[in-house]
Every structure is written in structure tokens, then in C-alpha cells.
Amino acid sequence: MRQIVIISGKGGTGKTIIAASFAALAKNGVAADCDVDAADLYLLLHPEIKERHKFKGLPKAEINQVKCTGCGRCLEVCRFGAVKKQVHDRSPLFLIDPLSCEGCKVCYYACPEDAITMTESVSGEWFISETKYGPMVHARLGIAEENSGKLVAIVRENARSVALERGLDFVIVDGPPGIGCPVIASLSGVDLALIVTEPTLSGIHDMERVIDVARHFGVKTVCLINKYDINLENSGNIEKWCERNKIPVLGRIPFDNSVSESVVKGIPIVEYMHNMVTQRIKEVWWEISEVKGE
Amino acid sequence: MIVSIASGKGGTGKTTVATSLALYLNGKGQNTVILDCDVEEPDSALFLKPVLNKPKTVDIPVPTVDFERCTYCGRCAEVCAYNAIAVAKKTVLVFPELCHGCGGCALFCPEGAISEVGRDIGVVEEGDASGIKFVQGQLKVGEPMAVPLIREVKRRGIKENKEIVIIDVPPGTSCPVIKSVEGSDFVILVTEPTPFGLNDLKLAVETVKKISIPFGVVINKDGIGDSGVDLYCELERIPILTRFPFSREIAVAYSKGIPIIDAGVEFRQKFEELYDTILSIIQGGL
Ligand code: SF4
Ligand code: SF4
């Protein structure tokens, strides 16, 4: 079983379209949507949810106003600015701003009156589903929550065990944008990272950063240039950069309106039509699916 | 005044709108500051080409243990909410990437054996782009925690005077987005008219509603998809501030790092409308 993650650094380069196409082409894989902040893969794969699980984030502080004597110790020790002081009828009132609280518990230990409790809350959900093309594991992080890395790790773990249980050959991971915590969680322990880039200055810049991250974690990396004909000079520069850095460029996909049409229709493009775009995507998939993991 | 430019989905044109708005305001003689809070992938500089001063490292405090004093009592490991410090038989292990720098272990160590040292997580750079004050953060490769860096970018960029601050916000809906947007007077949500754009716009709307800041939508790449975004905005009474059509010329200009405002004369006008609408919404208290 091999795990392949599709990432890009920059958002909007076509990651999800590629991931959905691979899921459709694989026939023996599990799709995992690790962009838990803004999950879109379901719009193309239409999963039917079979299992639903709650995701609990770190418990956050709450102040029991009956016990609180207003000493202000919590305000002193919190480094995240989560304790807010208000004045009511000339006596101070201390409150916790849940959006700033990082759940470190320092105030909980420091409060001399034991007035602080740590309250667990549900900060997301994750699902195991069935699609036309096989199982899918996905999630939904609550708005404004942290810990997306932890939720990504749960999605990855479950996708992996579903693949093992059912004897499937691939886990296809649609990764999040950026290079931070959720990206690191999406990358760790995969067999291959496919970077989807586009020939724009930001696409190139972001690709270079995300490739550095993949390397940092020792993940084998290949690249695909989407909408390569938007700027041939930049595409050429990407190829040169990749050659210098020994990153194989597995494909060049032209810009075509059929891609957004397929998104509007809610179908992976390889299932929607046959053209240059889908031909190239298939070639990349064939190449990847035959490369054995190292 | 602080205006944040956000979008749930990445790649909708957030940065080109943010940099264009900064250019427009600067062109009008406004005192303008732009903050690139997308510290994982900061791209504003590609469009504005600022002259940057020497980068300054940003660090967060992590514990170090003085083994002369440590009695291996295990209190630090007990208080750490992130499992970033562990006590084994005759040693204490610190896992710096897990540490949030809360200071709990040092505060509660009964032997006073823990002190804190800085661990660098990235850099902030300040500079000038033809009159626009520019601040950006760059997260170090392999570093998971973006929020402390975002805080530092905002601390340096937002001074209490009369300028207009434009914030380029990271994509998504989680913690780093909130930290970037917090304190703004208005949020522009940039989206594209496709089912992906709509799905992520809805999430972004929930996010800004959570922090109660007035907002409006800019539709970019208008014409590529369907009418879902329009219908949604109408239903939810969300103002559509302006639209930029999809065209190959704009896409090519973008690929070269040309902000949309410089991609055609008609676009300057759109930024004027955009800005005036924002002002009237803020002043009208809508
Ligand atoms: S738990 Fe930590 S972050 Fe939350 S309010 Fe208490 S001291 Fe602040
Ligand atoms: S500073 Fe806070 S997060 Fe870091 S090791 Fe100490 S207790 Fe844990």
C-alpha cells in the first residue's frame, strides 16, 4: 500500500481536481481529504457518510465567577492575551476569550481560588464514507478552531487503516495549502508527494517553499505544472529549477475551460470528458502508480 | 482603518486584490501600510517588489533545564498541556516543535530548574514599496506554528495613527485566519464563482461572523463557473463589492506578478468603487 499526497503550497492550483481524478483512476484506493479547513473534495466525489466521529480539541479555560475573587493572577500568567479584564460596578470581572485561549492550563494551575475549569468542546467532525470510486475519509474542522494538524493526523490514520483492512493499494491524500502544521501532518510518512504548481510567480515561490518542507521531512517529491501554457517562460523556469533540484516534472497540463465545467458539474474531470487535460492527468497517474515506493 | 483581505479557498486572487487596493490608496496619497500575514506562503512582495530591511528573527520561548537543580519530580510534564516536555528516569526531554511557549513548566517547577530560551520560528521583514509601508512574515521551513509570527507582523505594522492598513490573510478558516483578521474594521472576502469557491466562501462568512466584523464579497474570475455565489450572496444579503472578469490577459498579467489594478485602465475605477463602498458600509454602520 502506498500513500500519495497532493500539495501545492499556494491554493487554487488544481490540487483537488487532480486528487479527485486520481481517486477515480485508481479504482483500488482510499481518498483522504486533509484540507480540513476548507474541504472541497466531497464536491467531486460525493461521499455517502457511513461513520461519523466527533473531534475534540484541547479543553479551554473558563472562569467560575462565584469562586473568582478578582485577584488577577490569571491575567498575569496568560501569555496568549486570552484573559480579559472588565470593570463592572467598580469591581473587576475576568473573562476568557475562547478565540485566544490556547488551552495551556497555566491559569488553571495558577489560580489560588481554584476558580478555573478546563472545558472540553467538540471542535470538528470526521467521517468514513463510500464513494463511487471507493472509500473516503474526510473531516470538517469547526470554524476558528486550532489543532487542524491533529485532525489531519486522524484522517490520515483512518485512511491508512481502511486501506489495510480492505487490501487497497493506494491512499490518495488531498493536502491543505501552506507549509505549516496541517501540511506537515499531511506529509509525514507518505511515500510520495506530488506538487501541483502553476507558472505564476506566486505559484513558483510557493512551490519552492513546499518542496523544501517535503525535503525537510525526507519525502520523495515529484512535480506537475498545471495551466502550463498561461506563461511558457515561467513554465520553462519551473522545469529548470526542478532539474537543478532533481525533482522530476511528470506532466504539463494545459489551461482549459473544461476543468471549471467539470467542477460545476461535480465530476472528476477524467470522468467528465476526454481531452488533452485528462490525457495528461492519466499519464501522470500511470507513471506514479507504477513507481514503487522506496 | 484596517481592511483585511481573506478567502476560505486559496488561489482566488486575495493577494492581487490586497496589493492592488494598497496601490490604489497609495496613489490617492493615503498613508498606506500592507501586512502580509500569509506567513506560510507570503506572496505580496512578488507583486509590490518592496525594498526590504534586514530580516529580524522571531522566536518563541521554550524551556531548558538546569540539571544541577532538577530533581526529576515530573511537575513540568504534568502541567504541560501539549506533551512538549517529558521526564524520564534521569533526564528531561523537551520537544520544541510541540511547545507553545506558554511558560507553564518554568512557572511551576518547584526547584526553579527551568529557564526559557528563544527558538526561532521565522522572520519578519519591513520595508517600503514606492511609498507603501510593507511588513511581511516568513515562517521557517518545517515549522508548524504560524500564529506567533502573525502576531509579530501585526505588532510591527499597526501603529495607532491615521494610516490605512491592508492585511493579506492566509487561506482557510482556522486559528491563523482569526488572528490575522482580528481587530479589522472591514473584511473583503475574495471568491470565485465555482462550487469550490461557494463552499469555501460559506465557511469564510461563518468565520467573519464569529468575530462580528462587517464584510463584503469580491467575485474574481467572474464568468468561469455558475451563478451559485451570486444566489448565495443575494439570499444572505451579503454585498458584492465588485467583480473582476476572467480573462486570459488578466491570468497572464497575474502570472508575471502584475497586480490586477495595473492590468487594465478599467480596473482602477473598480478599486475606487470598491473603496467607496467599503467606506460607506463602515460609516453607515451596516
Ligand atoms: S488556558 Fe492558557 S491560554 Fe487559555 S486562558 Fe488560561 S493561561 Fe490563557
Ligand atoms: S512552555 Fe508550556 S508548552 Fe512549552 S514545554 Fe513548557 S509547559 Fe509545555
Side-chain angles (χ1 to χ4, degrees):
Chain A
M1 193 264 299
R2 299 182 57 224
Q3 304 193 59
I4 297 164
V5 65
I6 297 135
I7 44 177
S8 58
K10 176 172 161 35
T13 60
K15 242 178 339 86
T16 302
I17 287 149
I18 303 293
S21 294
F22 284 180
L25 292 168
K27 298 200 174 67
N28 55 350
V30 182
D33 192 348
C34 286
D35 190 357
V36 297
D37 253 40
D40 285 343
L41 189 60
Y42 82 95
L43 292 167
L44 298 179
L45 298 184
H46 309 285
E48 200 181 298
I49 294 174
K50 298 289 181 202
E51 278 180 42
R52 233 173 227 280
H53 301 266
K54 289 195 168 45
F55 171 67
K56 295 206 180 82
L58 271 186
K60 292 187 175 181
E62 253 176 57
I63 300 178
N64 177 336
Q65 299 300 340
V66 178
K67 284 190 180 174
C68 175
T69 59
C71 74
R73 182 70 181 137
C74 50
L75 181 74
E76 265 168 46
V77 296
C78 179
R79 287 196 178 161
F80 306 108
V83 181
K84 307 277 180 220
K85 181 179 178 177
Q86 292 178 357
V87 180
H88 274 260
D89 300 332
R90 276 193 239 131
S91 56
L93 178 66
F94 292 89
L95 295 166
I96 306 282
D97 167 16
L99 290 179
S100 296
C101 178
E102 297 197 10
C104 72
K105 285 170 102 172
V106 169
C107 56
Y108 165 83
Y109 289 115
C111 175
E113 310 296 332
D114 262 340
I116 296 180
T117 47
M118 301 301 295
T119 316
E120 207 169 58
S121 63
V122 174
S123 61
E125 266 190 302
W126 59 274
F127 320 96
I128 297 184
S129 302
E130 281 309 321
T131 78
K132 212 172 130 186
Y133 314 105
M136 169 167 173
V137 184
H138 48 132
R140 171 84 192 83
L141 185 69
I143 294 294
E145 293 291 346
E146 44 180 332
N147 255 314
S148 46
K150 212 169 139 196
L151 185 53
V152 167
I154 292 176
V155 169
R156 288 273 318 276
E157 235 170 77
N158 282 280
R160 190 170 166 274
S161 46
V162 168
L164 290 175
E165 262 164 42
R166 304 203 197 170
L168 299 172
D169 292 338
F170 298 100
V171 174
I172 295 158
V173 180
D174 185 6
I179 63 163
C181 184
V183 174
I184 293 172
S186 304
L187 265 177
S188 68
V190 297
D191 299 283
L192 185 75
L194 172 68
I195 315 289
V196 180
T197 186
E198 57 178 33
T200 62
L201 293 187
S202 15
I204 299 173
H205 172 256
D206 296 0
M207 166 196 79
E208 293 180 9
R209 273 172 67 83
V210 80
I211 288 178
D212 279 347
V213 175
R215 283 218 187 117
H216 183 93
F217 291 96
V219 173
K220 186 173 173 208
T221 307
V222 294
C223 173
L224 182 161
I225 309 173
N226 195 11
K227 310 173 211 170
Y228 81 94
D229 50 346
I230 287 282
N231 189 323
L232 291 173
E233 193 188 329
N234 284 346
S235 286
N237 290 336
I238 294 176
E239 285 175 24
K240 276 184 225 135
W241 188 91
C242 285
E243 202 183 307
R244 270 203 310 279
N245 289 279
K246 306 203 168 48
I247 308 281
V249 177
L250 298 191
R252 291 154 201 83
I253 299 176
F255 174 80
D256 197 282
N257 282 325
S258 60
V259 176
S260 27
E261 281 164 28
S262 72
V263 173
V264 169
K265 292 272 180 336
I267 304 170
I269 181 141
V270 290
E271 297 269 287
Y272 175 64
M273 60 156 54
H274 186 78
N275 59 15
M276 206 49 184
V277 173
T278 57
Q279 184 55 33
R280 294 279 166 85
I281 294 177
K282 285 177 190 163
E283 286 164 10
V284 172
W285 172 249
W286 293 329
E287 183 144 3
I288 285 179
S289 52
E290 277 165 19
V291 179
K292 286 282 166 281
E294 288 172 344
Chain B
M1 184 173 73
I2 305 176
V3 179
S4 281
I5 325 292
S7 69
K9 176 170 161 37
T12 55
K14 189 171 55 59
T15 303
T16 187
V17 171
T19 51
S20 293
L21 184 58
L23 287 167
Y24 166 74
L25 292 169
N26 188 51
K28 265 184 35 155
Q30 291 270 16
N31 223 327
T32 311
V33 182
I34 186 161
L35 310 184
D36 196 340
C37 285
D38 189 356
V39 301
E40 293 183 37
E41 296 288 15
D43 286 341
S44 291
L46 299 173
F47 292 89
L48 293 177
K49 307 180 179 63
V51 180
L52 295 172
N53 300 331
K54 208 166 143 258
K56 296 198 182 66
T57 40
V58 174
D59 44 35
I60 64 165
V62 295
T64 118
V65 180
D66 174 358
F67 289 103
E68 299 277 297
R69 292 193 186 170
C70 177
T71 58
Y72 309 98
C73 74
R75 182 68 178 146
C76 52
E78 215 173 274
V79 296
C80 180
Y82 312 104
N83 302 320
I85 189 162
V87 180
K89 276 228 168 59
K90 276 276 171 257
T91 188
V92 180
L93 295 170
V94 176
F95 304 98
E97 346 45 75
L98 299 178
C99 174
H100 284 225
C102 72
C105 50
L107 187 63
F108 297 116
C109 172
E111 310 298 332
I114 297 181
S115 50
E116 294 176 280
V117 288
R119 181 173 78 90
D120 108 46
I121 57 163
V123 295
V124 278
E125 290 162 296
E126 292 179 65
D128 174 274
S130 330
I132 301 172
K133 183 175 170 207
F134 186 97
V135 187
Q136 72 173 4
Q138 292 219 45
L139 189 68
K140 205 167 123 181
V141 161
E143 177 54 49
M145 247 172 292
V147 170
L149 200 51
I150 293 172
R151 275 201 206 104
E152 186 58 19
V153 171
K154 291 182 77 173
R155 200 182 64 79
R156 284 175 187 269
I158 304 174
K159 305 267 146 67
E160 289 140 73
N161 41 34
K162 290 179 233 67
E163 348 96 328
I164 300 188
V165 180
I166 307 292
I167 301 183
D168 190 351
V169 177
T173 59
S174 63
C175 200
V177 177
I178 299 281
K179 290 294 156 216
S180 305
V181 168
E182 231 172 28
S184 302
D185 300 287
F186 194 85
V187 183
I188 299 174
L189 297 175
V190 183
T191 189
E192 56 180 45
T194 64
F196 287 179
L198 174 60
N199 183 61
D200 299 350
L201 174 64
K202 287 181 183 164
L203 301 171
V205 166
E206 276 184 64
T207 313
V208 280
K209 280 191 175 159
K210 193 138 186 167
I211 39 177
S212 320
I213 297 174
F215 63 95
V217 165
V218 166
I219 299 183
N220 193 16
K221 309 184 197 168
D222 199 20
I224 55 165
D226 56 8
S227 55
V229 168
D230 275 284
L231 291 174
Y232 167 76
C233 289
E234 202 183 306
L235 207 70
E236 296 288 319
R237 295 171 199 275
I238 297 168
I240 293 177
L241 305 166
T242 189
R243 309 165 181 270
F244 298 103
F246 176 78
S247 79
R248 222 182 152 101
E249 291 77 73
I250 300 178
V252 171
Y254 174 90
S255 75
K256 297 178 183 154
I258 298 171
I260 200 164
I261 196 166
D262 294 333
V265 272
E266 64 278 25
F267 298 129
R268 188 155 295 268
Q269 173 113 32
K270 289 198 179 249
F271 279 93
E272 191 174 333
E273 280 167 29
L274 172 68
Y275 182 60
D276 291 346
T277 316
I278 293 174
L279 278 187
S280 67
I281 294 177
I282 296 178
Q283 282 152 5
L286 268 169

